[in-house]
Amino acid sequence: MQALSAVNGLPEHIDWHAINWQKAYRMLKNLRGRIFRAAKEGDLKKVRALQKLMLRSYANTVISIRKVTQLNKGKATPGIDNLTISSAGGRAKIFGSLQKLRIWKAMPARRIYIRKENGKERPLGIPVIKDRCMQAMALNALEPEWESRFEGSSYGFRPGRGCHDAIARIFSLANPTGAKRWVIDADIKGAFDNINHDHLLNAVKNFPGKYLIQEWLKAGYMEKGLFQKTEKGTPQGGVISPLLANIALHGMEELLGIRYGKGHSRKEYTIVRYADDFVVFCLTEAKANSALEKINKWLLESGLELSAEKTRIAHITQGFDFLGFNIRQYPSKVKRLKSIVLIRPSKKSQQKLRDKIKALWLANKTTPVDKLVTMLNPVIRGWTNYFRIGVAKKIFAGLDRWMYHRAWRHAVRKHPHKSAAWRVRRYWGRLNLDRNDKWVFGEKRTGEYLLKFQWTKIQRHIIVKTTSSPDDPLLKAYWEKRNRRQIAELVPSKQKMARKQNFVCPVCSQSLLNGEELHTHHIVPVQAGGQDKYRNLLLVHEDCHNQIHSSVYRAEAIERSVLAVSHLLEPDVM
């Protein structure tokens, strides 16, 4: 494979399928870890030197291109130049163009709007591919430094953290034995659109890529063919924007005087923040009002304010919605307990799911059942995997009953002149051989069947440790073990293959569960007699699969095999 040169020695041309991804990821992880460690030790001079190294790193460049063009959800969404990259040749070409530029000039973002749940529209700014790649490179340089500083109460858009960690933390805080029973349920109004540029640039003032951040902030956007300046805010849609928002909102714990001892807040407040949504647990209603006033005043310094319609103070027994869940304290039916905290899928989340599934049923009235099932199953699997950490067993059962009626209506619509018994024989049966359930809807001829919500077991989430970060070299074993828990999100066959491979992609040696699309590779090709059996299958990332089938990779694999047995071919020396 193509060898990596020194970390800052960039070649002009590359063969994308010849990149040694194992070495690239190892170098990037090592450099991020060094930045984190230097920042933790307070050695800012070393931090800046390493960040400069990261910004011109070969490994950082190729991995950033891979992330933007293959991993990110918006990979197929173009900027104002209408350019997207979907081929290895295109990625190699953009690598070359990134190296030729010496003075970076950001292009305006493309303004689009997406509809929100309340009927309003949220503006998104979509940068061009080149800017997104460069933002990913700057992210790898800046993020490890701030990961060493960020508060443990921040869970949104950070490596190794997510919604489930925030909900698990709230569950521990809402404990009936806790003293903080008043809650500020808050939302920042248009956080991404209103962040003060000077405030943000002052926070990153010594970062070697500060001029890049300034370029992206001031790049403006195009809407209906007209250029608009951006005097404030950071565009939603930019790779680095979530990090910049977290930097702008950093410091809420210090503002409220929160200190921790043995994992619990010793002061009047405890906060849980996910990006621009946060909750504050308070001792009294008066304390809650005082905290709300402090936060409002503090936010004004960064050009932000709380949303009046989405911010309220409530007692824990009244409950509140956060990240799709409803959190509320109820009277307990158990004599030894006065009350109990239940975290359930919110009514709004349930209705949103029903609307989405109903739309799929109605939009595919004539679609073959096996194809319709393949559309519905990912929706069911994704929703249950997200809400499985709460008290959702009864809600899952109710959704299954609702889904049965939708399936029955679909069968009646397709076969209005057939009897009920005929429809049952045609579409229902014990299609899932692992379960003794004869009421599974699907296509018997192909074996495709509709998943049931109840088949997803309730599984409590283990919260991430305090301020721990994947960039901390001392926590390597902890993060490897933690990442493996994501296996529950895969279908059973891929779960078995992932365990067999110890959760590692054999091509790039990275975790299979890093967010990239997974492909199944046949060791012995089907056309050469290979079978669909586990011993002949490997689970690999999409780009790694493409690399395996490239002529460069095959040629080098043959060369390695020849070298491995060359000593057997040498004649004996007398």
Side-chain angles (χ1 to χ4, degrees), residues 302-314:
S302 53
L304 302 173
E305 62 177 331
L306 293 174
S307 171
E309 60 183 35
K310 294 183 179 180
T311 301
R312 70 187 186 106
I313 295 174

Side-chain angles (χ1 to χ4, degrees), residues 243-254:
L243 172 62
L244 296 180
N246 274 332
I247 291 173
L249 295 172
H250 174 67
M252 281 194 184
E253 284 189 358
E254 184 179 352

